[in-house]
Structures are given as C-alpha cells and as structure tokens.
C-alpha cells in the first residue's frame, strides 16, 4: 500500500486565514491518521504578492498549532520547508515546461501585453481574456529566432478545444467540463517563475503527494491539473476540496469580519488548542457526538470521508463556548501566564493577581473577558444605589443601609482579613440576626465592587482589596444610601 503523503502549500501574503489553517489541519490529519507524511511547501512564485514577515507568520502559526511538517529539502538535518523560489532557481520548472513543449502539450507564446489586451471581452460584467492559440502555430524557426533575439515569452498549456475532461474529487465525485472552456493557461511566466497551478502539479508529483487538500474555490481549475498530469504521463493524486467557510449571515468569511485569521483569534483572547479544535469541525463531523478534541484525538478520529460538501458556518458563540471549556480545563500556572498581561493592563495596585486570576478562570470565555470582570479592583466605579435592591434576597436600599452600618464596626474590629476569617465573622452576624447569608453578603458585595456581577463573593473580594480599601468602600456605600 502506498504511504499517504500530504502537503500544506501556503503563499506568504499575510496573516493565515481560517480557511488556510483548516487546509493545513486537514492535510495533517489525513496523513497522520494513516501514519503518513505531512510536508510544508512555501509557494512564493508570485513575487508581487509577497508580504514582508508573512513567512514568519506561517512558521509561527504552524508551530503554535502543533502542525509540524515531517521533512524538507535538507533531509537528515532539521526539516525546513520546501520553497518554490529556491526550486525555481534550480531550473526545475523550466525543465518541466520544456518537456511539455517537446511533447506538443505546451508552447512558447511571445504575444505582447497590447495584443493580449485586445483579446479581452466582458462577460456578465466581468472582464476576461481567452487566449486564441496565436503562437501555437509559430514555426520552429520563428520560435528559435524569437528566443535568440531575447523576446519576452511565456509558456502556455496546449488544451484541446474538442471533447471533455473529467475530474474526480473524493467528496464531489466526477466533474466533467467541456474542453472549450479550458483556456491555454500560462505555465511559465516571462520572469521565469512558474504559475501557481503549474508549480503545484510539478511539485506534488516530484514530492510524491498522494492526497491534495484544497478549498472548493479551486474546483473550477481542477480539470487543468488533470490535463497536466496526463500530459506528463503521471499518476493523478486524490483530491479533497473542502467546503466554503461562511459567517453567521452565510456570506464568505472575509478579512472584514475581524476574525478571519488565526492571529485575529489569538489577539481576541482565544486559545490555540481551542481554535484548532473549532476549525477541525468547520466542515468535518466525527462519528460520535464528541466536540472537544486534542490534536492527538483528532488524528485518531479523523476520516476525510466525513467532510461535508455544504458550507461551514463560523459560529462565534460556539467558538467562545469551546474556548471557555479549554480555559476551565487549563493548568493554573499556564492560565496565569496567559492571564497576567490582561490583569496588569487593568490593575496597577499592589494586589494579589493570582487570587484574582483564580476568581475569573471559570467565568471567562476569552482572555479579553478578564478586563471587564476585574476593573473594579483597581477603582470603585460610580454606581446607582438602586443596585442594592434585590427581590430574591428581599434586600431594599433601607435594609442594605442597615446591614452596612451593622457590619462596619465588625469589620473595623477584624484583625484577620482573610476570606475564611471574614466569612466566619459575618456568618456570626447572619446567625445573630437570623437572616439568610445572601441578605448580608449582597449589600457588602455591592459596596466593595460597585457591580451587580462579580467573579467572587464579598469576603473573597475584601481579602484581595485589603482592610483599608474595603472599609473605605463600605463607608462610601453608606454615604450613597444616606444621600
């Protein structure tokens, strides 16, 4: 049985789109599920689209997500990625383009841009250009004379205009197109670089790729790949075209959405493992109802035959829920290391940040949520005295004022301001007054936080704030209720 080999072949054009991350992930899972190899190939042949720093983004993202490739051009040493511009310098693509020219499957084209522009036409409001095979009919002598004269040229694929080409996809089945629809696409550009389509086919063959994973936006160009494989006499790999990813409005996920790239999501406080887990489910369903997967579990479970053809909806609510589950399960030291920058962004006072972090760990869905939960520790916000009213607790502004006045001297006399000691002292007051605990804790918590929702109870908050600040806030609450 042939060993499965897949590849992820990104172009260094900016941040990694969620769709590209899914392609990388599915290629990785398909290979690893069968004990195969997963390669990384940088497709940088379109030099005009190259973005400075984009290579580092690709490497960092794949490292963060655990999608490490198995091999590179320097076998035996560290496995660096294959880089198409390096392979271009080695003459690989020129050599293979000339092989097709010799077989009559491709030809030199010397047409000027002016002539090509004259072939353009507008169809349904879109300007397209279909090449007319003008240079296919040049004689061998004319071609040699043009080359000798240094005339700029491209090499084009020679596609027939009669008959059909059938392409097979593992998800979509057989797709047939009329050859009349296949343009003679450029294989080698005038700068000597291969086009994306041509380099893909050559490299996939030379690197023994058995399964090609791509977005379904490439389905329309797929028949041209088949014709190239057939022209070379090479075996065609299995193709797996993944469904489109849409936003909640069922429109294609775009950069304008604000969460279309991996780095966008990390910047928004999501955990790498949760993003990978979520992206795996954008178009793939496991046999079970399980939703939380480690990468190793995904490798074990993943079967590409369970990839859907229907568009996958990027459900932000589900991603936030999933991220919250990962945060809850996270080792505290790791959580604190990730939470600390967010804590320090809000809190400048000398407070126990680890205790505050422990309060919010099970209450947040993203790390950005931390700031809204803890801002009251830094400064008591302005708040409406109506917040002291709580129907369930049977608290009114009057009863709350009475409680705060009663507990103030108790807290002033309290030497041990730890959570346990404070709770014990206030519980004694609760028992003495024969009221419910919440009846006492509600006004205290409101006074020390100025918020209706807090990540912890009154005594835990007071322990972190300390005696002086806690008493000052309670006195302010009394003044507010007496006003």
């Amino acid at each position: 049985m042939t060993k499965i080999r897949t590849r992820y072949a990104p172009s260094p054009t900016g941040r990694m789109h969620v769709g590209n991350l899914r392609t990388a992930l599915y290629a990785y899972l398909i290979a690893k599920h069968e004990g195969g190899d997963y390669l990384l190939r940088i497709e940088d042949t379109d030099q005009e689209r190259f973005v400075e720093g984009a290579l580092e983004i690709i490497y960092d993202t794949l490292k963060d997500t655990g999608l490490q490739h198995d091999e590179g051009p320097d076998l035996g040493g560290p496995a660096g990625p294959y880089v198409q511009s390096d392979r271009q310098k080695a003459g690989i693509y020129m050599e293979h383009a000339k092989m097709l020219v010799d077989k009559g499957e491709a030809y030199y084209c010397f047409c000027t841009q002016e002539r090509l522009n004259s072939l353009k036409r507008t169809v349904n409001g879109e300007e397209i250009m279909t090449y007319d095979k003008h240079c296919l009919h040049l004689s061998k002598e004319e071609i040699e004379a043009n080359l000798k004269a240094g005339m700029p040229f491209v090499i084009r694929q020679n596609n027939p205009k009669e008959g059909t080409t059938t392409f097979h996809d593992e998800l979509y089945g057989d797709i047939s197109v009329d050859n009349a629809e296949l343009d003679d696409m450029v294989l080698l550009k005038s700068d000597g670089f291969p086009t994306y389509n041509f380099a893909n086919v050559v490299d996939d063959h030379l690197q023994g790729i058995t399964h090609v994973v791509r977005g379904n936006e490439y389905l329309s160009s797929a028949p041209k790949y088949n014709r190239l494989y057939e022209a070379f006499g090479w075996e065609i790999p299995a193709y797996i075209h993944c469904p489109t990813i849409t936003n909640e409005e069922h429109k294609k996920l775009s950069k304008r959405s604000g969460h279309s790239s991996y780095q966008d999501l990390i910047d928004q406080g999501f955990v790498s493992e949760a993003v990978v887990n979520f992206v795996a489910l954008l178009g793939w369903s496991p046999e079970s109802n399980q939703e939380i997967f480690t990468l190793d579990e995904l490798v074990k479970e993943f079967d590409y035959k369970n990839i859907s053809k229907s568009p996958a909806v990027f459900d932000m609510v589900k991603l936030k829920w999933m991220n919250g589950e990962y945060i809850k399960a996270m080792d505290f030291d790791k959580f604190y290391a990730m939470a600390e920058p967010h804590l320090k962004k809000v809190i400048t006072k000398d407070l126990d940040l680890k205790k505050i972090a422990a309060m919010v760990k099970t209450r947040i869905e993203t790390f950005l949520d931390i700031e809204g939960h803890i801002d009251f520790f830094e400064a008591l916000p302005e708040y409406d005295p109506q917040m002291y009213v709580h129907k369930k607790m049977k608290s009114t502004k009057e009863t709350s004022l009475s409680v705060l006045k009663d507990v103030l001297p108790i807290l002033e006399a309290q030497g041990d301001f730890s959570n346990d000691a404070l709770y014990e002292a206030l519980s004694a007051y609760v028992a003495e007054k024969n009221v419910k605990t919440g009846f006492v804790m509600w006004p205290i918590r409101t006074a020390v936080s100025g918020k209706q929702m807090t990540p912890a109870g009154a005594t835990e908050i007071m322990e972190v704030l300390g005696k002086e600040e806690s008493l000052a806030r309670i006195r302010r609450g009394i003044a507010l209720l007496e006003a």
Side-chain angles (χ1 to χ4, degrees):
M1 182 178 173
T2 304
K3 188 176 186 180
I4 286 185
R5 287 169 64 84
T6 64
R7 48 72 170 172
Y8 174 50
S11 298
T13 56
R15 290 188 165 193
M16 190 182 291
H17 189 277
V18 167
N20 292 334
L21 176 59
R22 185 185 63 178
T23 298
L25 176 61
Y26 283 10
Y28 178 89
L29 296 176
I30 288 169
K32 296 304 172 185
H33 182 72
E34 299 291 344
D37 295 327
Y38 164 75
L39 282 62
L40 173 62
R41 188 171 72 223
I42 304 300
E43 301 202 332
D44 60 346
T45 55
D46 191 343
Q47 297 289 291
E48 291 181 4
R49 295 181 66 224
F50 184 89
V51 173
E52 199 67 40
L55 279 176
E56 287 69 26
I57 290 174
I58 292 169
Y59 300 149
D60 290 346
T61 301
L62 295 179
K63 183 179 179 182
D64 286 350
T65 54
L67 306 181
Q68 294 285 43
H69 55 281
D70 292 308
E71 68 174 61
D74 45 357
L75 293 177
Y82 293 98
V83 179
Q84 284 188 334
S85 58
D86 292 342
R87 295 167 67 74
Q88 184 267 341
K89 290 170 189 171
I92 291 171
Y93 307 114
M94 178 66 80
E95 174 191 344
H96 282 81
K98 287 182 176 178
M99 284 170 58
L100 292 182
V101 171
D102 291 342
K103 297 175 76 170
E105 299 288 352
Y107 57 93
Y108 289 96
C109 173
F110 299 93
C111 288
T112 63
Q113 190 60 52
E114 184 180 11
R115 183 176 189 282
L116 295 176
N117 288 340
S118 72
L119 300 176
K120 290 180 180 178
R121 54 199 172 92
T122 301
V123 178
N124 297 326
E126 184 180 353
E127 193 174 57
I128 63 171
M129 193 281 286
T130 303
Y131 189 64
D132 60 359
K133 290 184 177 288
H134 174 76
C135 289
L136 174 63
H137 309 294
L138 294 177
S139 66
K140 187 176 180 180
E141 292 73 25
E142 286 176 303
I143 293 170
E144 288 177 355
N146 288 344
L147 293 173
K148 192 173 182 180
M151 283 183 65
F153 68 88
V154 299
I155 293 180
R156 291 183 179 276
Q157 184 178 12
N158 184 16
N159 282 316
K161 289 304 174 187
E162 296 78 34
T164 60
T165 293
T166 300
F167 169 83
H168 180 78
D169 177 82
E170 294 295 303
L171 305 179
Y172 292 85
D174 288 342
I175 300 169
S176 295
V177 297
D178 290 331
N179 288 337
E181 296 178 18
L182 301 181
D183 188 30
D184 284 2
M185 67 175 179
V186 174
L187 306 180
L188 206 73
K189 296 178 286 187
S190 58
D191 60 4
F193 278 89
T195 56
Y196 173 85
N197 292 325
F198 183 57
N200 252 319
V201 169
V202 172
D203 283 341
D204 283 346
H205 172 74
L206 296 179
Q207 291 162 6
I209 302 303
T210 61
H211 292 66
V212 174
V213 184
R214 305 191 302 176
N216 66 5
E217 65 267 26
Y218 293 104
L219 266 175
S220 61
S221 62
K224 297 178 184 178
Y225 290 95
N226 268 26
R227 295 210 60 82
L228 283 173
Y229 277 103
E230 290 165 356
F232 279 117
W234 294 340
E235 185 177 350
I236 299 171
Y239 276 90
I240 301 152
H241 285 83
C242 305
T244 304
I245 300 175
T246 72
N247 60 21
E248 287 90 340
E249 286 77 46
H250 302 285
K251 294 178 181 177
K252 190 172 180 180
L253 194 66
S254 69
K255 291 180 180 179
R256 291 188 295 276
S257 70
H259 53 259
S260 66
S261 80
Y262 171 80
Q263 196 57 52
D264 287 338
L265 296 173
I266 298 303
D267 291 346
Q268 290 166 27
F270 290 94
V271 180
S272 182
E273 294 87 346
V275 174
V276 170
N277 190 159
F278 176 76
V279 167
L281 300 175
L282 287 175
W284 171 77
S285 300
E287 297 285 354
S288 66
N289 292 323
Q290 182 177 344
E291 290 193 289
I292 305 294
F293 290 90
T294 64
L295 187 57
D296 287 341
E297 287 172 335
L298 284 171
V299 167
K300 202 173 291 184
E301 291 284 332
F302 195 83
D303 182 346
Y304 69 78
K305 292 181 176 63
N306 290 336
I307 296 175
S308 171
K309 290 184 284 187
S310 302
V313 178
F314 191 106
D315 184 346
M316 182 57 82
V317 172
K318 182 173 182 177
L319 174 56
K320 285 183 175 180
W321 164 79
M322 186 175 285
N323 201 65
E325 295 300 302
Y326 271 87
I327 289 174
K328 287 173 189 172
M330 194 179 286
D331 170 81
F332 182 77
D333 288 340
K334 180 180 178 182
F335 169 76
Y336 183 71
M338 297 179 73
E340 189 177 21
H342 300 279
L343 295 164
K344 288 184 173 179
K345 190 174 179 181
V346 175
I347 298 174
T348 61
K349 293 179 176 180
D350 185 19
L351 300 178
D352 191 332
L353 296 184
K354 286 196 173 181
K355 284 184 179 176
I356 297 174
M359 292 178 186
V360 300
K361 187 172 184 289
T362 60
R363 293 173 177 267
I364 61 172
E365 291 185 314
T366 77
F367 280 93
L368 292 191
D369 295 342
I370 290 175
E371 296 166 25
H373 280 286
I374 67 168
D375 52 359
F376 69 89
F377 280 107
E378 178 69 9
L380 185 68
E382 295 292 331
Y383 65 95
D384 190 327
Q386 193 64 28
M387 278 175 51
Y388 284 97
V389 177
H390 195 299
K391 289 182 181 179
K392 188 177 179 182
M393 303 290 184
K394 296 183 179 178
S395 294
T396 65
K397 287 189 280 187
E398 291 73 25
T399 61
S400 294
L401 176 60
S402 177
V403 168
L404 292 181
K405 282 185 171 182
D406 283 351
V407 301
L408 182 59
I410 296 172
L411 296 172
E412 287 174 332
Q414 185 71 21
D416 183 352
F417 232 68
S418 67
N419 175 50
D420 291 345
L422 288 168
Y423 194 82
E424 186 179 340
L426 292 171
S427 294
Y429 171 76
V430 167
E432 179 191 328
K433 294 294 183 180
N434 193 28
V435 293
K436 290 186 176 181
T437 301
F439 183 81
V440 173
M441 296 301 185
W442 175 260
I444 298 174
R445 186 167 70 86
T446 301
V448 296
S449 70
K451 301 187 84 166
Q452 282 192 309
M453 302 291 289
T454 59
T459 55
E460 294 169 288
I461 291 170
M462 287 193 289
E463 178 185 45
V464 172
L465 287 173
K467 184 173 182 177
E468 184 181 342
E469 179 66 18
S470 296
L471 293 177
R473 293 186 178 198
I474 288 172
R475 292 188 188 107
R476 184 175 169 185
I478 291 171
L480 184 66
L481 287 167
E482 287 181 333

